[in-house]
Amino acid sequence: MKRVRIMKNYKLTLCYDGSRYRGWQKQGNTDNTIQAKTEALLERILGRPAELAGCGRTDAGVHARRQVCSFRADTAMSCGEILEQLRRYLPEDIGALSLEEAPPRFHARLSCREKSYLYRIWNSEAPNVFERKYVYKYPAALDIGAMRRAAEELLGEHDFTAFCSNRHMKKSAVRNLRSISIERRGDELDLLLTGDGFLYNMVRIIAGTLIEAGRGERDAASVAAALESRDRQKAGFTAPAQGLCLWEARY
Amino acid sequence: MKRVRIMKNYKLTLCYDGSRYRGWQKQGNTDNTIQAKTEALLERILGRPAELAGCGRTDAGVHARRQVCSFRADTAMSCGEILEQLRRYLPEDIGALSLEEAPPRFHARLSCREKSYLYRIWNSEAPNVFERKYVYKYPAALDIGAMRRAAEELLGEHDFTAFCSNRHMKKSAVRNLRSISIERRGDELDLLLTGDGFLYNMVRIIAGTLIEAGRGERDAASVAAALESRDRQKAGFTAPAQGLCLWEARY
């Protein structure tokens, strides 16, 4: 009698310090991505290949506080056993926060309703040795009021082509940016962006554009005009990867 | 006419991630110490050697939130100029927080009235990728009440020979341990020790001993007996360097 394979569906939440990786997504020419490292380990644990879907594809050098992933597997191991193995063998800069069985149709990216990214600016000449890999050091004075006014222009549903690095995108560039909170915590300035989805480099280009607004190099009207233009050249610089962290995914 | 050299006295406050250094103090066989790195840079900046005195000699792998140092120099440069150079050329894991002129008799170690060290225990199976280098991962359950009762026995002025790794110490091992605070912050357990001075490895041995108390492997009476014995073998294990951070020095 043939054994019936029952593929279970899993929700795995990872965190990582992205400093030494070439981003989340598997690439042909390197195994130095978070997806590749984790899939290789899952294959060792489960005895069969497993394909991970991540809620967001973080770029090289970007971190994740909570990267929610899903995968299917046919195994007799319990979630606790798999999680223990992941924790034992993942490199020290990738952590497995939780693992649970998910409903059959759950998919980390497709089911995701809303995501948040945090962009951290270390806005001081003073050193921050302990968090140096997780912040973008930008010591010049920033006018938070001007940044908030500029951010207002980006809220809501728009075509964000001007805030995307991928020039040959064929799919829709319409996204709903639900909130941008800009808060100072001591010497640090935190930008928390929440939306239904983000284009390639979108958070980093928004961060760069808001920094330019905070410097007085552009005003809210110029940010609105950049958005309207759908021209990448009209938006601000792409802020460095290391200040960015995938903060949360909601389902 | 001979120029009169006026040696000014300086107070420099550093912070560092000690992970890749062989501790604070200069050693004959390596220049990979925080003191050696900083002195070499000061010599380049000032054009003359300068000898740094640090308020505490941290071991290999130990961090400092505030390591107060003093040095003398004869220079026309302002504190702001020297500080700017230090910030520009120090490695990214050593930071210069502040520099000011100090009274002639100020000495970072000899003038120090009180120091605090923080020992951070990551008391969870869950990963902490972002602070992994600054905490000691110890997931087993710890009874904080038992740790606090054991800590009580160590407070006040005692001969701490049992809590010192240096077997051939000729100077007095009497220190006044003024407070030990033990607080849980989420998955982390923080031990903050304040005293007039600390022997070699003293904080790490106290941390190890209190962990043993938290595990139920020893009680307050056994800690008191270890202290009384002046025998290193009677105290607990030396907790790892990476959980330790020189927190503050008071003058």
Side-chain angles (χ1 to χ4, degrees):
Chain A
M1 208 171 76
K2 239 171 115 182
R3 179 166 163 265
V4 180
R5 289 186 61 196
I6 301 168
M7 293 292 267
K8 282 181 280 192
N9 195 21
Y10 294 91
K11 177 184 178 188
L12 167 66
T13 305
L14 298 176
C15 56
Y16 45 83
D17 168 354
S19 305
R20 69 183 185 98
Y21 295 100
R22 301 180 81 166
W24 163 259
Q25 196 164 22
K26 243 184 330 191
Q27 293 165 32
N29 54 345
T30 173
D31 64 352
N32 194 28
T33 70
I34 295 107
Q35 185 187 16
K37 294 280 180 205
T38 311
E39 284 186 355
L41 177 55
L42 272 175
E43 180 169 352
R44 262 175 53 201
I45 295 171
L46 301 170
R48 286 205 192 83
E51 189 158 354
L52 278 175
C55 72
R57 301 185 189 107
T58 57
D59 293 345
V62 173
H63 317 291
R65 173 176 165 271
R66 293 186 167 276
Q67 165 76 280
V68 176
C69 321
S70 54
F71 65 94
R72 293 177 191 278
D74 168 25
T75 174
M77 291 176 78
S78 71
C79 283
E81 288 165 339
I82 299 169
L83 185 64
E84 197 196 315
Q85 296 290 310
L86 284 168
R87 287 183 173 173
R88 181 168 304 168
Y89 296 111
L90 278 171
E92 60 168 14
D93 46 11
I94 304 178
L97 291 166
S98 62
L99 177 69
E100 57 195 89
E101 256 192 82
R105 297 180 65 105
F106 175 79
H107 185 279
R109 182 166 46 82
L110 302 176
S111 310
C112 185
R113 198 169 47 76
E114 192 173 271
K115 268 185 301 212
S116 296
Y117 281 89
L118 181 68
Y119 197 91
R120 299 176 64 182
I121 299 166
W122 184 249
N123 190 25
S124 169
E125 292 285 1
N128 180 350
V129 297
F130 300 111
E131 300 180 295
R132 66 188 186 275
K133 293 185 173 171
Y134 314 127
V135 296
Y136 168 39
K137 184 166 183 172
Y138 189 91
L142 291 169
D143 176 343
I144 295 191
M147 293 174 78
R148 286 182 178 148
R149 284 190 296 279
E152 282 281 328
E153 302 293 338
L154 300 172
L155 295 182
E157 194 166 271
H158 302 284
D159 181 320
F160 281 96
T161 299
F163 294 83
C164 173
S165 290
N166 184 352
R167 290 195 224 174
H168 306 290
M169 214 178 53
K170 287 175 187 150
K171 295 185 208 159
S172 165
V174 174
R175 295 290 184 277
N176 191 347
L177 185 52
R178 298 206 175 109
S179 70
I180 303 181
S181 108
I182 304 178
E183 298 295 339
R184 189 174 284 285
R185 295 193 304 137
D187 282 338
E188 187 173 325
L189 198 64
D190 287 344
L191 319 184
L192 185 67
L193 283 76
T194 300
D196 62 355
F198 292 88
L199 305 173
Y200 183 55
N201 278 353
M202 178 169 154
V203 180
R204 291 166 57 189
I205 299 170
I206 291 177
T209 305
L210 296 182
I211 287 170
E212 291 174 3
R215 292 294 298 149
E217 292 163 10
R218 61 163 74 229
D219 59 8
S222 113
V223 174
L227 182 63
E228 182 71 21
S229 75
R230 302 184 192 181
D231 176 0
R232 170 69 190 89
Q233 298 305 112
K234 297 282 196 295
F237 75 105
T238 306
Q242 72 176 59
L244 184 59
C245 184
L246 170 50
W247 195 248
E248 204 170 356
R250 277 174 289 272
Y251 292 89
Chain B
M1 208 167 77
K2 238 170 116 180
R3 176 165 165 267
V4 179
R5 290 185 62 196
I6 300 168
M7 293 292 267
K8 282 180 281 194
N9 195 20
Y10 293 92
K11 178 185 178 187
L12 168 66
T13 305
L14 298 176
C15 56
Y16 45 82
D17 168 354
S19 306
R20 68 184 185 99
Y21 295 100
R22 300 179 80 166
W24 164 260
Q25 195 166 23
K26 242 182 333 191
Q27 294 166 29
N29 54 345
T30 173
D31 64 351
N32 194 27
T33 71
I34 296 107
Q35 185 187 16
K37 294 280 179 205
T38 312
E39 283 185 355
L41 177 56
L42 272 174
E43 180 169 353
R44 263 174 55 199
I45 296 171
L46 301 169
R48 285 206 192 83
E51 188 157 356
L52 278 175
C55 71
R57 301 185 189 107
T58 55
D59 294 343
V62 173
H63 318 291
R65 174 176 163 270
R66 295 186 165 275
Q67 164 76 282
V68 177
C69 321
S70 54
F71 65 94
R72 294 177 189 278
D74 169 25
T75 176
M77 292 176 79
S78 71
C79 283
E81 287 165 338
I82 300 169
L83 185 63
E84 197 194 317
Q85 296 290 309
L86 283 168
R87 286 182 174 174
R88 182 168 305 167
Y89 296 112
L90 278 171
E92 60 168 15
D93 47 10
I94 304 179
L97 291 167
S98 63
L99 177 68
E100 57 193 90
E101 257 193 79
R105 298 180 65 105
F106 174 79
H107 185 279
R109 183 165 46 83
L110 301 176
S111 310
C112 184
R113 195 169 49 75
E114 193 172 271
K115 268 185 302 211
S116 296
Y117 281 91
L118 181 67
Y119 198 91
R120 298 175 65 183
I121 299 165
W122 184 250
N123 189 27
S124 169
E125 291 285 0
N128 180 350
V129 297
F130 300 111
E131 300 180 296
R132 65 188 186 274
K133 293 183 175 173
Y134 315 127
V135 295
Y136 168 39
K137 186 168 182 172
Y138 189 91
L142 291 169
D143 176 343
I144 295 191
M147 293 174 77
R148 286 182 177 146
R149 285 190 295 279
E152 282 281 328
E153 302 292 337
L154 300 172
L155 295 182
E157 194 166 271
H158 302 283
D159 181 321
F160 281 96
T161 299
F163 293 84
C164 174
S165 290
N166 184 352
R167 289 197 225 174
H168 306 289
M169 214 178 53
K170 286 175 187 151
K171 294 185 208 160
S172 165
V174 174
R175 296 291 184 278
N176 191 346
L177 186 52
R178 297 205 177 108
S179 69
I180 304 180
S181 108
I182 304 177
E183 297 296 338
R184 189 174 284 285
R185 295 193 305 135
D187 281 339
E188 186 174 325
L189 198 63
D190 286 345
L191 319 184
L192 184 68
L193 282 75
T194 299
D196 61 356
F198 292 89
L199 307 173
Y200 182 56
N201 278 353
M202 179 169 153
V203 181
R204 291 166 57 190
I205 299 170
I206 291 177
T209 306
L210 295 181
I211 287 170
E212 292 176 2
R215 291 295 297 151
E217 291 163 9
R218 61 164 73 231
D219 59 10
S222 111
V223 174
L227 182 64
E228 182 71 21
S229 74
R230 301 183 192 184
D231 176 0
R232 170 69 190 89
Q233 299 305 112
K234 297 281 196 298
F237 75 105
T238 305
Q242 70 174 57
L244 185 59
C245 183
L246 170 51
W247 195 248
E248 205 170 356
R250 279 173 289 271
Y251 292 90

